[in-house]
Amino acid sequence: MASIDLREELLCSICLSPYTDPVMLKCGHNFCRVCIGRVLDTQDESGVYSCPDCREEFQERPTLMRNLYLHNVAERFLISQQEQKEITGICCTYCVDSPVSAVRSCLRCEASLCHKHLRSHSKSPEHVLSDPSTSLEKRKCSVHKKILEYYCTEDAASICVFCSLGGEHRGHRVEMLDEASEKKKGKLRNVLQKLIIKREETEERVQSLEKSRRKAQEKAAGETERVTALCTDIRRRVDNLEKKVLSEISRQEKEESLSLSARIHQLEVKKDELSRKMRHIEELCNMTDLLTVLQEPDTGDLCDPEEEGGDEDTGGHDKQPHDGDDLDVAVISHTLHTLCDVISSIRSGIYVVSPADILLDINTAVNNVLISDDLKTATWTRENQKRPDTAERFQYHQVMSRRGFTSGRHYWDVETRRSGCWRVGMCYPSIDRRGWKSDIGYNNKSWCLWRYNNQYSVIHDSKEIYLPDIISSDRVRICLDYEAGQLSFYELCDSFRHLHTFTATFSEPLHAALYVFEGSIKILGRSRNWKKPS
């Protein structure tokens, strides 16, 4: 009855089965991790989260807290249930009328016993009792047919007393089976504890990444809303501008049309008057009556060039069209520039959050590399800088940054020369400082982009991958996603061109590293948190 009551306490209210990886909500109720995860996934759409048992509501998706105690209890209960099943699966050898579950097995008699026959069984030491088993012959030595009572630590084998005294295990270090078993169980428990800790760490990392993913989704939703609002505002302003300009064009066209129509009418009247005068003159020319011709006014009186004002045709028609009245071009331009900034940030995948300087560590710089006063430029020189010869100083043309990154996403830009020999990348602080293996890229503690003889490549652990395209820009971006184990290189041209991405499981802080020969490398601006392009 107690077992049944305990089983009911260990049942998940969602799947009605014993807990598997139990987790607890803030209200105190427990569920299988997978079960409550599916419930919360269905509640994501509504944005309202509640406990399936008490219906307590939460403002945000609740954090799942692992119940280690309940996990251990459920696990032990399942083990005991399995052991009970195994016990009930083996029957007493002497109960021939009806099968009765055995509780012990005698290795000497090679028989399984129920409670009744166990009471009457011999209690002498040679009758060794063990848990019920169907393969009792395996508990005896295959050579001497004696019970396996000892464990040979040298051969890692279970042996009988004759094997220890006169057999092939003679003179070997042996232990009692129960003693050896307890030692091994202790080791297994240590391994189990380590595995539990690792699984919890992995679980915490998964939760952290899920939280980062939700933040990224929220940020993308905010950017989407902002861009949509900007585009809507731009469309409204452009539509208003179009209406204003078209209206002004139409107004000016009407004014010009009316003015030209009036002028055309004046010219038509003038043309009719000129035609009348022409006909009159022609009539005079055709007259035979000389007296009548002489009595007419002079032809100059009939058509005086200055009479009609010779500049009428051009007067008042050089008027320029009016400028648009109150066109809000400046506001539209500002809005367009804002949208361009947003688009650029989306294309580059970079969102500035908390800038932090990357400064070169002069204590690591080789003596033929000159470091600028602002600790951001490394220049190759023939002059020996005569710095102290310390263990942390590189032997060859290298320098690394002061600070290292142990988490998060970061990027930093460098300006190089499209000539000479240089490398840019990142390395662990434990990188060698002496010998050719100390060059970044030529060990398993560094990653770099290399330019040599107008050829570009990426190197890690002496494995070189040549890049098919020539880099046309003199600026390079290095992007680090520590948790994702990615180190990427981009060319900074009109758009961000991806060159290569290394994938690894980072185990130490990562420092910026520069290798410079015949030229200089400059770190631009600051290191910034960044968001990887989707």
Side-chain angles (χ1 to χ4, degrees):
M1 181 63 69
S3 177
I4 295 175
D5 293 340
L6 180 60
R7 178 180 176 84
E8 291 178 354
E9 292 295 327
L10 297 176
L11 293 182
C12 172
S13 61
I14 298 177
C15 65
L16 302 179
S17 298
Y19 289 117
T20 302
D21 193 9
V23 292
M24 182 172 62
L25 298 180
K26 293 181 180 178
C27 59
H29 291 104
N30 296 282
F31 307 93
C32 298
R33 180 179 294 279
V34 174
C35 296
I36 189 63
R38 291 172 179 169
V39 172
L40 295 177
D41 288 343
T42 59
Q43 295 175 350
D44 279 337
E45 298 179 0
S46 62
V48 179
Y49 303 95
S50 62
C51 172
D53 281 355
C54 64
R55 301 300 177 187
E56 179 179 342
E57 294 188 355
F58 309 99
Q59 295 296 328
E60 298 179 351
R61 183 178 176 120
T63 303
L64 303 179
M65 297 173 286
R66 191 164 187 264
N67 194 328
L68 184 60
Y69 172 77
L70 190 58
H71 169 80
N72 294 337
V73 173
E75 195 172 64
R76 290 178 182 177
F77 176 78
L78 291 174
I79 292 174
S80 65
Q81 290 293 100
Q82 184 64 29
E83 290 176 350
Q84 187 64 29
K85 288 181 180 179
E86 292 177 355
I87 291 174
T88 55
I90 300 174
C91 297
C92 177
T93 305
Y94 303 106
C95 294
V96 294
D97 295 333
S98 61
V100 178
S101 296
V103 293
R104 302 291 281 173
S105 293
C106 177
L107 301 182
R108 180 180 178 85
C109 302
E110 295 187 5
S112 297
L113 310 169
C114 64
H115 282 292
K116 176 182 176 182
H117 290 98
L118 181 62
R119 286 194 294 269
S120 59
H121 189 72
S122 174
K123 303 298 188 295
S124 58
E126 61 268 18
H127 289 272
V128 179
L129 298 177
S130 68
D131 293 333
S133 175
T134 56
S135 55
L136 298 176
E137 66 279 359
K138 294 182 180 180
R139 302 295 299 272
K140 290 186 176 183
C141 176
S142 60
V143 178
H144 304 101
K145 304 302 180 184
K146 296 296 180 181
I147 297 173
L148 300 174
E149 300 177 88
Y150 303 97
Y151 182 78
C152 177
T153 58
E154 295 184 18
D155 297 331
S158 299
I159 61 175
C160 68
V161 63
F162 289 104
C163 292
S164 175
L165 295 176
E168 57 180 320
H169 300 279
R170 182 179 180 180
H172 291 184
R173 185 174 179 274
V174 297
E175 296 176 348
M176 297 297 294
L177 275 182
D178 55 353
E179 181 183 351
S181 177
E182 284 303 319
K183 287 184 178 179
K184 187 166 185 179
K185 286 181 180 178
K187 293 180 180 179
L188 292 175
R189 290 189 189 98
N190 291 335
V191 173
L192 177 62
Q193 191 61 34
K194 292 179 181 179
L195 292 176
I196 290 174
I197 294 173
K198 282 189 176 181
R199 186 172 68 176
E200 290 177 350
E201 291 174 351
T202 304
E203 186 176 311
E204 290 176 358
R205 186 174 178 184
V206 168
Q207 291 178 355
S208 175
L209 292 176
E210 287 179 348
K211 185 177 180 181
S212 298
R213 182 180 64 181
R214 287 195 294 272
K215 285 184 178 179
Q217 291 172 345
E218 292 171 0
K219 194 161 191 176
E223 291 297 327
T224 300
E225 184 178 352
R226 187 162 71 97
V227 170
T228 301
L230 278 171
C231 290
T232 301
D233 185 59
I234 288 173
R235 283 193 290 268
R236 179 181 62 80
R237 293 179 184 275
V238 170
D239 288 343
N240 292 339
L241 177 62
E242 180 185 12
K243 291 177 182 178
K244 283 186 177 183
V245 172
L246 293 178
S247 176
E248 179 64 18
I249 292 173
S250 178
R251 184 187 66 80
Q252 293 184 24
E253 186 271 334
K254 287 180 181 179
E255 280 187 2
E256 195 73 12
S257 179
L258 289 173
S259 176
L260 292 174
S261 296
R263 184 60 183 159
I264 290 172
H265 177 70
Q266 291 176 1
L267 292 176
E268 289 288 346
V269 171
K270 182 177 180 180
K271 186 179 72 171
D272 292 341
E273 180 64 19
L274 291 174
S275 297
R276 185 186 63 78
K277 290 181 179 182
M278 288 172 60
R279 287 193 299 272
H280 181 66
I281 292 173
E282 287 177 353
E283 290 175 355
L284 289 175
C285 292
N286 293 329
M287 281 185 179
T288 57
D289 186 353
L290 300 179
L291 184 60
T292 301
V293 172
L294 292 175
Q295 289 178 345
E296 285 293 326
D298 292 339
T299 55
D301 296 334
L302 295 175
C303 183
D304 189 353
E306 301 297 325
E307 179 185 359
E308 302 296 338
D311 59 347
E312 282 187 7
D313 293 346
T314 59
H317 294 287
D318 292 331
K319 185 179 180 181
Q320 297 297 324
H322 294 167
D323 291 334
D325 184 21
D326 192 25
L327 300 180
D328 202 0
V329 177
V331 175
I332 293 175
S333 176
H334 173 73
T335 309
L336 285 171
H337 281 295
T338 304
L339 181 62
C340 289
D341 293 340
V342 173
I343 293 173
S344 297
S345 67
I346 292 173
R347 288 180 64 192
S348 64
I350 294 166
Y351 294 83
V352 177
V353 180
S354 55
D357 273 327
I358 280 191
L359 302 176
L360 298 176
D361 186 356
I362 197 170
N363 294 323
T364 66
V366 69
N367 277 322
N368 65 347
V369 171
L370 178 65
I371 305 301
S372 62
D373 292 338
D374 63 357
L375 303 179
K376 287 185 174 292
T377 303
T379 304
W380 180 81
T381 177
R382 295 184 183 275
E383 297 180 6
N384 191 312
Q385 302 301 305
K386 298 181 180 179
R387 303 186 186 106
D389 187 13
T390 60
E392 59 183 335
R393 191 174 306 285
F394 283 106
Q395 181 182 5
Y396 298 120
H397 318 280
Q398 295 183 165
V399 62
M400 59 188 285
S401 65
R402 288 181 174 180
R403 68 166 295 184
F405 300 103
T406 57
S407 63
R409 299 183 179 93
H410 310 271
Y411 81 88
W412 53 287
D413 298 340
V414 296
E415 186 175 69
T416 64
R417 291 187 177 181
R418 280 174 282 175
S419 61
C421 175
W422 51 259
R423 299 176 201 164
V424 294
M426 306 198 82
C427 68
Y428 290 153
S430 62
I431 185 174
D432 290 338
R433 309 303 168 95
R434 297 288 185 272
W436 70 272
K437 278 288 187 178
S438 64
D439 286 0
I440 58 172
Y442 281 90
N443 48 72
N444 61 359
K445 297 184 178 182
S446 59
W447 300 257
C448 75
L449 171 68
W450 186 24
R451 185 197 184 280
Y452 181 70
N453 286 339
N454 205 31
Q455 174 67 53
Y456 294 85
S457 61
V458 290
I459 313 175
H460 169 64
D461 201 12
S462 300
K463 297 175 182 176
E464 186 172 5
I465 301 174
Y466 288 95
L467 301 180
D469 299 325
I470 296 296
I471 297 178
S472 58
S473 173
D474 56 1
R475 295 190 175 190
V476 175
R477 173 160 296 174
I478 299 92
C479 300
L480 169 66
D481 188 340
Y482 196 95
E483 281 77 13
Q486 292 184 339
L487 182 63
S488 303
F489 295 87
Y490 294 85
E491 177 188 6
L492 294 181
C493 44
D494 293 337
S495 61
F496 291 84
R497 186 165 71 93
H498 176 256
L499 300 175
H500 186 78
T501 295
F502 288 107
T503 301
T505 301
F506 301 127
S507 57
E508 296 182 39
L510 280 172
H511 292 250
L514 306 179
Y515 175 104
V516 57
F517 184 72
E518 294 183 352
S520 64
I521 301 177
K522 180 179 181 181
I523 297 175
L524 302 176
R526 297 169 174 265
S527 160
R528 296 176 172 88
N529 290 352
W530 75 297
K531 179 181 177 184
K532 185 179 176 183
S534 57

